[in-house]
Amino acid sequence: MVRLFLTVILVFLTSCSSIVLLPTYDLVQKAIALQVEQTQQQLSQKLDLDFQAFDIQGLSITQQKPLTIENLPAYRVRGTYNLIVKLPKRSFTQAQKPFELYLQIQKEGKSWRLLLPDKNSQNTHPIWRSYLIL
Protein backbone atom coordinates (compact mmCIF):
# COMPACT_ATOMS: atom_id res chain seq x y z
CA MET A 1 0.00 0.00 0.00
CA VAL A 2 2.81 2.40 0.86
CA ARG A 3 4.58 1.50 -2.38
CA LEU A 4 1.42 2.33 -4.40
CA PHE A 5 1.01 5.63 -2.56
CA LEU A 6 4.62 6.64 -3.29
CA THR A 7 4.22 5.69 -6.95
CA VAL A 8 1.08 7.83 -7.25
CA ILE A 9 2.85 10.80 -5.60
CA LEU A 10 5.86 10.38 -7.91
CA VAL A 11 3.66 10.27 -11.04
CA PHE A 12 1.75 13.33 -9.84
CA LEU A 13 4.92 15.33 -9.18
CA THR A 14 6.44 14.31 -12.49
CA SER A 15 3.34 15.29 -14.46
CA CYS A 16 3.09 18.67 -12.70
CA SER A 17 6.69 19.66 -13.22
CA SER A 18 7.53 21.91 -16.12
CA ILE A 19 9.32 20.50 -19.11
CA VAL A 20 12.78 21.97 -19.53
CA LEU A 21 13.83 22.46 -23.14
CA LEU A 22 17.57 22.26 -23.70
CA PRO A 23 19.36 23.25 -26.90
CA THR A 24 19.95 20.17 -29.07
CA TYR A 25 23.06 19.38 -31.13
CA ASP A 26 21.09 20.17 -34.29
CA LEU A 27 20.02 23.56 -32.92
CA VAL A 28 23.58 24.42 -31.82
CA GLN A 29 24.93 23.38 -35.23
CA LYS A 30 22.36 25.61 -36.97
CA ALA A 31 23.25 28.53 -34.69
CA ILE A 32 26.97 28.11 -35.44
CA ALA A 33 26.16 27.92 -39.17
CA LEU A 34 24.17 31.16 -38.90
CA GLN A 35 27.07 32.87 -37.15
CA VAL A 36 29.64 31.54 -39.67
CA GLU A 37 27.42 32.59 -42.57
CA GLN A 38 27.26 36.17 -41.26
CA THR A 39 31.03 36.27 -40.81
CA GLN A 40 31.59 34.91 -44.32
CA GLN A 41 29.29 37.53 -45.81
CA GLN A 42 31.23 40.29 -44.07
CA LEU A 43 34.57 38.84 -45.21
CA SER A 44 33.31 38.37 -48.76
CA GLN A 45 32.34 42.03 -48.96
CA LYS A 46 35.52 43.40 -47.39
CA LEU A 47 38.07 41.06 -49.01
CA ASP A 48 36.24 40.20 -52.23
CA LEU A 49 36.45 36.46 -51.51
CA ASP A 50 34.28 33.84 -53.18
CA PHE A 51 33.17 31.44 -50.47
CA GLN A 52 31.47 28.44 -52.06
CA ALA A 53 30.22 26.66 -48.95
CA PHE A 54 31.16 25.45 -45.51
CA ASP A 55 30.48 22.43 -43.36
CA ILE A 56 30.40 22.04 -39.60
CA GLN A 57 31.53 18.69 -38.21
CA GLY A 58 32.80 17.22 -34.96
CA LEU A 59 30.54 19.35 -32.76
CA SER A 60 31.28 18.91 -29.07
CA ILE A 61 29.18 20.72 -26.45
CA THR A 62 31.08 21.09 -23.19
CA GLN A 63 28.76 23.41 -21.26
CA GLN A 64 25.11 24.48 -21.28
CA LYS A 65 24.49 27.08 -18.60
CA PRO A 66 20.91 28.34 -18.04
CA LEU A 67 20.43 32.07 -17.56
CA THR A 68 17.89 34.81 -18.20
CA ILE A 69 18.30 37.46 -20.91
CA GLU A 70 15.70 40.21 -21.18
CA ASN A 71 13.29 38.27 -18.96
CA LEU A 72 13.31 35.10 -21.07
CA PRO A 73 15.11 31.81 -20.43
CA ALA A 74 18.35 31.38 -22.32
CA TYR A 75 21.47 29.21 -22.39
CA ARG A 76 25.13 30.00 -22.77
CA VAL A 77 26.48 27.06 -24.76
CA ARG A 78 30.20 26.39 -25.12
CA GLY A 79 32.21 23.79 -26.96
CA THR A 80 34.23 23.15 -30.11
CA TYR A 81 33.64 22.21 -33.74
CA ASN A 82 35.54 21.60 -36.97
CA LEU A 83 34.91 24.08 -39.77
CA ILE A 84 35.49 23.04 -43.39
CA VAL A 85 35.54 26.03 -45.75
CA LYS A 86 35.21 25.45 -49.48
CA LEU A 87 36.71 27.99 -51.89
CA PRO A 88 36.60 27.77 -55.70
CA LYS A 89 39.97 26.01 -56.07
CA ARG A 90 40.53 24.44 -52.67
CA SER A 91 39.12 23.82 -49.22
CA PHE A 92 40.61 24.02 -45.77
CA THR A 93 39.72 22.83 -42.30
CA GLN A 94 39.92 24.68 -39.01
CA ALA A 95 39.88 22.02 -36.31
CA GLN A 96 38.65 22.35 -32.74
CA LYS A 97 37.34 25.91 -33.11
CA PRO A 98 35.96 27.03 -29.75
CA PHE A 99 32.51 28.60 -29.66
CA GLU A 100 30.29 30.39 -27.19
CA LEU A 101 26.66 30.91 -28.13
CA TYR A 102 23.70 32.47 -26.40
CA LEU A 103 20.47 30.70 -27.32
CA GLN A 104 17.04 31.78 -26.18
CA ILE A 105 13.76 29.93 -26.38
CA GLN A 106 10.81 32.16 -27.16
CA LYS A 107 7.78 32.59 -24.89
CA GLU A 108 5.61 30.13 -26.80
CA GLY A 109 8.39 27.51 -26.66
CA LYS A 110 8.25 26.78 -30.40
CA SER A 111 11.31 28.59 -31.68
CA TRP A 112 14.85 29.44 -30.66
CA ARG A 113 16.90 32.55 -31.35
CA LEU A 114 20.63 33.16 -31.51
CA LEU A 115 21.55 36.17 -29.39
CA LEU A 116 24.66 38.18 -30.18
CA PRO A 117 25.83 41.02 -27.94
CA ASP A 118 26.20 44.29 -29.83
CA LYS A 119 29.92 45.00 -29.73
CA ASN A 120 29.38 48.69 -30.53
CA SER A 121 27.18 49.25 -27.48
CA GLN A 122 28.60 51.58 -24.83
CA ASN A 123 26.10 50.44 -22.16
CA THR A 124 27.15 48.45 -19.11
CA HIS A 125 24.32 46.01 -19.89
CA PRO A 126 24.77 44.39 -23.30
CA ILE A 127 22.30 45.11 -26.05
CA TRP A 128 21.41 41.86 -27.80
CA ARG A 129 20.83 41.31 -31.50
CA SER A 130 18.47 38.40 -32.07
CA TYR A 131 18.31 35.99 -35.04
CA LEU A 132 15.70 33.32 -35.61
CA ILE A 133 17.23 29.84 -35.98
CA LEU A 134 15.44 27.94 -38.72
Side-chain angles (χ1 to χ4, degrees):
M1 185 68 173
V2 172
R3 182 184 248 170
L4 177 63
F5 177 75
L6 291 175
T7 303
V8 169
I9 294 295
L10 181 62
V11 169
F12 177 76
L13 290 175
T14 304
S15 65
C16 290
S17 66
S18 62
I19 297 173
V20 177
L21 296 175
L22 294 172
T24 63
Y25 275 88
D26 187 47
L27 178 75
V28 172
Q29 192 166 359
K30 287 178 181 180
I32 292 170
L34 181 60
Q35 209 169 26
V36 169
E37 190 175 285
Q38 289 179 345
T39 302
Q40 282 189 340
Q41 286 174 357
Q42 292 169 356
L43 286 173
S44 291
Q45 291 171 353
K46 290 181 181 178
L47 303 176
D48 196 28
L49 291 174
D50 184 18
F51 288 104
Q52 299 293 307
F54 63 88
D55 194 17
I56 296 167
Q57 297 179 354
L59 177 64
S60 173
I61 297 173
T62 58
Q63 182 186 55
Q64 292 188 36
K65 181 180 178 185
L67 48 102
T68 302
I69 298 175
E70 296 183 6
N71 299 320
L72 288 173
Y75 288 90
R76 181 180 69 199
V77 182
R78 291 180 173 169
T80 60
Y81 66 97
N82 300 329
L83 177 65
I84 301 165
V85 179
K86 298 171 186 167
L87 298 172
K89 295 182 180 177
R90 69 182 197 119
S91 66
F92 63 91
T93 300
Q94 293 179 316
Q96 297 295 301
K97 285 183 61 69
F99 71 88
E100 178 177 74
L101 298 174
Y102 292 88
L103 301 172
Q104 185 175 64
I105 191 161
Q106 298 306 286
K107 287 181 186 178
E108 69 281 352
K110 295 179 184 175
S111 62
W112 287 82
R113 298 188 76 82
L114 169 64
L115 301 179
L116 298 173
D118 187 352
K119 294 179 180 160
N120 297 326
S121 174
Q122 302 298 324
N123 294 341
T124 55
H125 297 288
I127 295 175
W128 297 93
R129 291 181 287 136
S130 172
Y131 301 91
L132 180 63
I133 301 171
L134 301 173

